[in-house]
Amino acid sequence: DAGVIQSPRHEVTEMGQEVTLRCKPISGHNSLFWYRQTMMRGLELLIYFNNNVPIDDSGMPEDRFSAKMPNASFSTLKIQPSEPRDSAVYFCASSSRLAGVGNEQFFGPGTRLTVL
Amino acid sequence: GQQVMQIPQYQHVQEGEDFTTYCNSSTTLSNIQWYKQRPGGHPVFLIQLVKSGEVKKQKRLTFQFGEAKKNSSLHITATQTTDVGTYFCAGSSGTYKYIFGTGTRLKVLA
C-alpha cells in the first residue's frame, strides 16, 4: 500500500500566482481531509469530503481557497491568488469508515508551500 | 468553538527519563486520538481512546482518557532518542471532525 500521495512535495511561488496541490487517498478510503499546519496556528482542518462530496468547508480561510474531489482517488486544493500568509505545510489525510467517525486518519507527506 | 490545549509546549528530557504530555478540551469529547509527528514528517496515528477513564498501553507509552472525557494524557517511560517528535492529541465530539491540540514537542538528549 503506497499510503496517501501528495504532490508536489515542495512549491515555491510568487504572490498572486495560482497554486494547485494534489492528493491521492488510500484506495478504499471514503473520507478525505485537507489540513494546513503553521507554527502560529498549528494543524487546522480546511475541508472534509465524504464519498467525494464536500461536507464541511468551514475551515477554508477565504474565497481564494477552493477544493475539489472529482473521483474517489483524487483531490485538489487550489489557492488563487496566493499570498505570503498562505505559506505553510498542507497535509491531505484519508480514513476508511462512514463519515470518518472514530477512525484513524492516514496523513500524506505534505506539501510545503512558500509564497514569496 | 471547541479548543484543545496541550501542555507543556516543549519538553527536553535526558534519555531514560519519563515524559508526560497533557491534553485538555473545552468541551466533552466522544473520543480522542493521539498522533506523533517526527521532525519534518507527517502526523502518524498512535491510538484512540473512547471510554471514560480508559487506559491503554503500547510498550513504553501509556494513554489515559479522563473520567469526564475532557482531558487525556500520554506518558512515556524511559524515553529513547527515537521518541523525539511532536505529540498531538485530537478530540472529537462524535463527528468526523477532530480538533488537533497545540502539540508537545519532545526532545530527548542522549
Side-chain angles (χ1 to χ4, degrees):
Chain A
D1 192 341
V4 175
I5 299 172
Q6 290 186 248
S7 64
R9 294 292 306 276
H10 302 272
E11 177 80 27
V12 179
T13 191
E14 292 187 344
M15 182 174 63
Q17 296 297 307
E18 177 181 297
V19 175
T20 299
L21 311 181
R22 297 172 176 79
C23 174
K24 176 179 169 54
I26 292 173
S27 177
H29 283 191
N30 62 350
S31 295
L32 185 138
F33 307 81
W34 280 100
Y35 289 90
R36 177 173 67 176
Q37 185 175 42
T38 62
M39 288 296 294
M40 290 298 294
R41 301 176 66 89
L43 201 58
E44 304 172 277
L45 176 65
L46 299 178
I47 189 168
Y48 160 66
F49 291 87
N50 187 52
N51 292 326
N52 312 337
V53 177
I55 303 299
D56 183 351
D57 65 355
S58 60
M60 297 286 262
E62 46 197 277
D63 292 344
R64 297 184 297 107
F65 286 69
S66 63
K68 294 182 180 179
M69 193 165 185
N71 56 63
S73 59
F74 185 64
S75 178
T76 59
L77 178 67
K78 185 178 292 187
I79 308 173
Q80 166 64 19
S82 58
E83 297 183 2
R85 59 193 168 117
D86 301 330
S87 297
V89 180
Y90 290 81
F91 288 106
C92 174
S94 69
S95 65
S96 65
R97 274 173 60 183
L98 183 64
V101 174
N103 286 286
E104 66 178 287
Q105 295 176 49
F106 293 82
F107 282 75
T111 295
R112 182 174 295 275
L113 174 65
T114 302
V115 183
L116 303 174
Chain B
Q2 182 186 4
Q3 292 186 327
V4 179
M5 302 297 293
Q6 284 182 252
I7 55 170
Q9 188 176 2
Y10 301 96
Q11 183 82 59
H12 293 182
V13 299
Q14 288 290 138
E15 189 173 22
E17 291 182 339
D18 292 357
F19 159 77
T20 304
T21 173
Y22 300 91
C23 176
N24 294 287
S25 171
S26 59
T27 60
T28 301
L29 301 171
S30 170
N31 62 85
I32 195 162
Q33 298 178 343
W34 284 90
Y35 290 79
K36 176 184 178 181
Q37 184 176 19
R38 295 182 183 274
H42 57 277
V44 175
F45 176 82
L46 294 176
I47 207 160
Q48 177 172 282
L49 304 171
V50 179
K51 298 177 183 176
S52 169
E54 188 171 14
V55 177
K56 287 188 176 181
K57 292 190 176 185
Q58 289 180 350
K59 297 182 179 178
R60 296 178 295 104
L61 277 61
T62 302
F63 304 84
Q64 290 188 325
F65 201 7
E67 294 289 341
K69 300 184 77 173
K70 293 184 71 174
N71 56 72
S72 181
S73 66
L74 158 60
H75 179 83
I76 302 178
T77 303
T79 55
Q80 300 175 358
T81 55
T82 53
D83 296 325
V84 164
T86 301
Y87 292 85
F88 293 96
C89 60
S92 171
S93 298
T95 69
Y96 57 86
K97 182 180 284 188
Y98 281 83
I99 304 298
F100 277 77
T102 47
T104 296
R105 185 175 298 178
L106 173 64
K107 187 170 184 176
V108 180
L109 308 173

